[in-house]
Amino acid sequence: FADRLKMFTDFIETYHRFPLSNGGELEASLQRWCKNALSGALNASEDEIRTLNSVIEHFYNRLNYPKNAFEADFLSKCEDYKTFILENHCLPSQTNGEDLYWWIKRSKYSMNSFTDKRRLYFLDLLSYISSFGFKV
């Protein structure tokens, strides 16, 4: 258990997100291990499960690392949007950065329905945008 926990923690620290089931072989294995440990499918002591839960609490609730593919993809789009602003000194438009332009429109419309970290990531992006004097 301790070796897998270390691998799990190292993965999260390296990639700043939780392992995903559709990742590589090691990543999918770590995701399954975590799921099995939390569901009781593994023989793990209460202390080991408590330690795993504290790792999850630290990375997900305190550091706000993405826990699933939806959050990871969304955070990646937020980072792409920030990069676009830094490189172009403007917001994406229908003629320049069309995919990001439509993504932020859809996201802004759907923001109130986000129940996971996507809402936090989006609010951070909006704050970032407004720090440059732009408005979406």
Side-chain angles (χ1 to χ4, degrees), residues 45-85:
S45 70
E46 288 182 25
D47 285 340
E48 290 171 327
I49 298 302
R50 195 170 319 134
T51 301
L52 176 58
N53 279 322
S54 71
V55 166
I56 292 169
E57 163 73 19
H58 173 73
F59 288 112
Y60 188 66
N61 292 331
R62 292 190 192 135
L63 297 180
N64 296 316
Y65 285 178
K67 197 175 193 180
N68 58 48
F70 293 116
E71 291 176 350
D73 292 342
F74 194 87
L75 182 58
S76 178
K77 275 291 198 196
C78 289
E79 294 303 319
D80 291 347
Y81 202 93
K82 290 176 181 181
T83 300
F84 183 93
I85 292 171

Side-chain angles (χ1 to χ4, degrees), residues 3-105:
D3 291 340
R4 292 296 275 182
L5 180 62
K6 171 102 173 77
M7 291 171 67
F8 184 75
T9 304
D10 289 346
F11 180 92
I12 297 169
E13 288 175 338
T14 301
Y15 296 102
H16 302 272
R17 64 173 173 80
F18 283 73
L20 304 175
S21 61
N22 62 348
E25 186 177 325
L26 174 62
E27 183 175 357
S29 173
L30 290 171
Q31 190 274 340
R32 283 190 306 273
W33 171 82
C34 179
K35 183 178 177 183
N36 288 336
L38 294 175
S39 70
L42 296 179
N43 285 335
S45 70
E46 288 182 25
D47 285 340
E48 290 171 327
I49 298 302
R50 195 170 319 134
T51 301
L52 176 58
N53 279 322
S54 71
V55 166
I56 292 169
E57 163 73 19
H58 173 73
F59 288 112
Y60 188 66
N61 292 331
R62 292 190 192 135
L63 297 180
N64 296 316
Y65 285 178
K67 197 175 193 180
N68 58 48
F70 293 116
E71 291 176 350
D73 292 342
F74 194 87
L75 182 58
S76 178
K77 275 291 198 196
C78 289
E79 294 303 319
D80 291 347
Y81 202 93
K82 290 176 181 181
T83 300
F84 183 93
I85 292 171
L86 286 175
E87 291 175 354
N88 297 284
H89 309 289
C90 65
L91 296 179
S93 67
Q94 291 179 341
T95 57
N96 185 16
E98 182 179 3
D99 60 327
L100 290 172
Y101 173 82
W102 289 113
W103 170 81
I104 202 161
K105 291 262 189 214

Side-chain angles (χ1 to χ4, degrees), residues 60 68 71 110-120:
Y60 188 66
N68 58 48
E71 291 176 350
S110 303
M111 182 178 72
N112 291 330
S113 66
F114 295 154
T115 57
D116 53 13
K117 296 287 183 190
R118 290 178 296 171
R119 181 174 176 79
L120 178 70

